Amino acid sequence: MNKSIAAQLVDDGPLYVSEKKIYPREIKGRYQRFQRLALLVLLGLYYGVAWLNWDGRQAVLWDLPARKFYIFNLVFWPQDFIFLALLLIMAGLSLFFFTALAGRLWCGFACPQTVWTEAFVWIEKKLEGDRNQRMKLDAAPWTGNKVLRKFGKHSLWLILALWTGFTFVGYFTPIKELASTFWPFSWSGWETFWVLFYSLATWGNAGFLREQVCKYMCPYARFQSAMFDRDTLIIAYDSLRGETRGSRRKGSLPSVLERARGLLPLNKLNDHGFVPFELAETKPAPEELGDCIDCTLCVQVCPTGIDIRDGLQYECIACGACIDACNSIMDKLEYPQGLIRFTTQHQLEGQTSKVLRPRIFVYGFLLLGLLAIFAVGIIQRSPLIVDVMRDKQLYRINDEGNIENAYTLRIINKDNKAHTYKIRIASEAEITVGDALSNISLTPEEVQTLPITLITKPGNVKGVANVKFIIEQSDGDTKVTEDSRFIAPAE
Ligand code: SF4
Ligand code: SF4
């Protein structure tokens, strides 16, 4: 346990090794219940939100042809790219913040790879039975029963994968439209490609690759060591309490903690059943056994197939299955729980751990700052966008001998209500507008392009004059001012 966190998380093994199939054993417990709950909530959100309606349209939709992104009441236009960039930066920073604070909780409970793998494994268990039955079935020759079970499993996997791919595309093409054009089939080539591609990716990643994605493909597993320190929450085996491991009959040997009763009272166990770390000093004499009975249940339940008793490893996705497994053994032996537990490197070494440390403050403040900028930006975002583009021709002289400059105004009503607008010009020079510029009506989210001509008499402008286009909403107080220039002959 004296190796640094980074050193323990760096993989110095070969780039590729042929992996044995892992058959994780089912276990019940607090963390497994929590994981099941997270799975139901996240899958429910993924499959359900696509069908929600908001104001007569799909509530969450990335409308690529129209270049608009809808999230309930919010509509992001290409001009709002900064908000999407902010969202992505906040997502990245959150990962840093929560990893520094709580380790790989994301991996164990919220990562799509974990969530869909759990769903696929659940189907596998229903069709092929528990760990031992699955191992036996895989080793058995092909019989009618085996073909039936495998066929059933893959059929259900395929249905789930196709539904996942269909839902994914449903966030880019209105999902009800996509459903209604399925039969008779009239999806576009891209829609068909992405549904099949995403389905195949789900089927392959959750059905076959599983822990290999975490071990070899996920970049997060590799760079997490940069975010870990000795106060980061990790799942660890308390080797000082557990070693020397060895089997025993129930009731034949009290727990290490009980044997330490003389030195430290048991009521020092905290509310979570964690062992106070001062007890680390009370390692039993060599001839006595520690609390680990070497049942290997913690290894059998591990979805990545590692032995947490070997120390912190980058393959550990912090799912908590080994905690539940070991706690169930501790309960049977009537030993206190927590031989494997959520803890920190410092605590394992008998030191005090600090939750609030500089990097937490730095990540936290940055995150809060960005969140505040995002919220203020959204609240103050104008529902009107105006772009003014000057014509390429510098100026022209009309039939009356006056000087004209041509412009194109692009007006975008980002609101979900219709509005009318009027346009005025402000300039230090005497410049007038050649077209009617009031009562310009735009339907909700309409983009309108208006050609506009500004006119002045010869001699009013010599060279360049600044002009302002002021666009005001007739039925509200939204106002946008855009600067431009009027160009005339210098003499
Ligand atoms: S060692 Fe395995 S079972 Fe334990 S938390 Fe890590 S991945 Fe899960
Ligand atoms: S489950 Fe607990 S007792 Fe069994 S081998 Fe793992 S650490 Fe030891």
Side-chain angles (χ1 to χ4, degrees), residues 237 291-298 309 326 329-330 339-340:
Y237 164 71
D291 280 354
C292 174
I293 60 165
D294 208 12
C295 63
T296 72
L297 193 60
C298 52
R309 295 172 301 167
C326 192
I329 299 293
M330 294 296 110
L339 177 56
I340 300 175

Side-chain angles (χ1 to χ4, degrees), residues 229-305:
D229 59 25
R230 299 184 94 75
D231 289 310
T232 301
L233 208 57
I234 52 172
I235 289 181
Y237 164 71
D238 186 347
S239 57
L240 290 170
R241 176 184 160 194
E243 302 296 320
T244 303
R245 61 186 85 155
S247 61
R248 73 211 61 176
R249 276 198 336 274
K250 182 184 167 186
S252 62
L253 185 69
S255 155
V256 167
L257 306 176
E258 285 176 35
R259 282 175 266 159
R261 195 189 287 268
L263 294 172
L264 282 164
L266 277 180
N267 60 14
K268 279 220 166 185
L269 288 177
N270 67 25
D271 294 344
H272 309 289
F274 291 172
V275 184
F277 302 102
E278 304 90 301
L279 288 176
E281 290 160 15
T282 64
K283 191 177 176 187
E287 69 273 10
E288 292 177 323
L289 289 172
D291 280 354
C292 174
I293 60 165
D294 208 12
C295 63
T296 72
L297 193 60
C298 52
V299 185
Q300 293 171 37
V301 297
C302 178
T304 63

Side-chain angles (χ1 to χ4, degrees), residues 323-389:
I323 301 182
D324 286 333
C326 192
N327 281 346
S328 72
I329 299 293
M330 294 296 110
D331 287 348
K332 277 187 196 144
L333 291 167
E334 292 173 1
Y335 286 180
Q337 293 187 350
L339 177 56
I340 300 175
R341 60 182 182 268
F342 271 103
T343 182
T344 70
Q345 194 87 351
H346 269 150
Q347 285 181 342
L348 280 175
E349 290 160 3
Q351 298 170 28
T352 319
S353 244
K354 275 194 230 143
V355 176
L356 300 176
R357 47 201 199 279
R359 69 168 66 195
I360 298 290
F361 281 113
V362 172
Y363 293 150
F365 280 131
L366 278 174
L367 202 54
L368 276 179
L370 286 177
L371 202 65
I373 293 171
F374 182 82
V376 171
I378 290 286
I379 291 166
Q380 293 193 340
R381 204 166 52 134
S382 171
L384 173 67
I385 299 175
V386 180
D387 293 323
V388 177
M389 289 156 282

Side-chain angles (χ1 to χ4, degrees), residues 164-175:
T164 306
F166 165 78
T167 306
F168 175 76
V169 175
Y171 281 104
F172 295 87
T173 294
I175 198 162

Side-chain angles (χ1 to χ4, degrees), residues 382-386 409 411-424 436-448 450 470-480:
S382 171
L384 173 67
I385 299 175
V386 180
L409 261 63
I411 305 174
I412 302 171
N413 173 20
K414 291 201 294 181
D415 207 356
N416 52 12
K417 295 190 191 86
H419 291 295
T420 54
Y421 302 93
K422 55 184 182 226
I423 302 174
R424 346 190 234 110
L437 294 178
S438 57
N439 285 333
I440 299 158
S441 301
L442 267 79
T443 54
E445 296 175 24
E446 189 188 345
V447 180
Q448 212 176 92
L450 281 180
I470 302 161
I471 301 91
E472 290 168 297
Q473 195 181 310
S474 312
D475 49 356
D477 50 11
T478 302
K479 180 170 143 184
V480 169

Side-chain angles (χ1 to χ4, degrees), residues 181-188 192:
T181 51
F182 177 68
W183 196 261
F185 189 78
S186 57
W187 289 355
S188 73
T192 313

